[in-house]
C-alpha cells in the first residue's frame, strides 16, 4: 500500500475527486487559498501508474504528486 499526496489546481479539483476516490482511500484533504486541492490517498501500489495516467489526462500534467 502506498501513501501519496496530490496537489490539484482548482479548475480540475471537482472532476479529480471522482478519479482519486476510485483508486483508493482518501486519508486527508485540504483546500488551499488559491482554490487548489491537496489530498493524501492510500492505494495499492499496482494502481499508482493508472492514477497518474488518469490525472495526466484530466489536468494535462498540471498536478503535483509526492510519495509519502
Amino acid at each position: 500500500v502506498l501513501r501519496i499526496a496530490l496537489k490539484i489546481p482548482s479548475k480540475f479539483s471537482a472532476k479529480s475527486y471522482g478519479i482519486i476516490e476510485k483508486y483508493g482511500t482518501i486519508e486527508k484533504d485540504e483546500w488551499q487559498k488559491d482554490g487548489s486541492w491537496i489530498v493524501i490517498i492510500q492505494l495499492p501500489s499496482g494502481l499508482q501508474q493508472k492514477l497518474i495516467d488518469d490525472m495526466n489526462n484530466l489536468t494535462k500534467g498540471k498536478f503535483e504528486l509526492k510519495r509519502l
Side-chain angles (χ1 to χ4, degrees):
V1 175
L2 291 177
R3 287 179 73 228
I4 56 175
L6 297 160
K7 183 176 181 184
I8 299 141
S10 59
K11 74 186 229 177
F12 305 111
S13 56
K15 288 183 179 177
S16 65
Y17 186 89
I19 293 171
I20 290 168
E21 189 178 48
K22 77 178 183 183
Y23 284 107
T25 305
I26 294 174
E27 205 175 275
K28 183 179 178 185
D29 67 333
E30 185 177 294
W31 295 95
Q32 302 300 296
K33 287 184 176 140
D34 65 0
S36 62
W37 183 43
I38 295 177
V39 60
I40 297 173
I41 180 176
Q42 281 190 8
L43 73 161
S45 54
L47 294 180
Q48 180 183 0
Q49 192 58 50
K50 287 184 181 190
L51 171 63
I52 291 169
D53 292 346
D54 279 359
M55 292 304 298
N56 273 325
N57 288 336
L58 173 66
T59 68
K60 310 293 185 262
K62 293 181 169 73
F63 74 100
E64 296 173 38
L65 182 142
K66 185 176 173 182
R67 290 180 82 179
L68 303 174

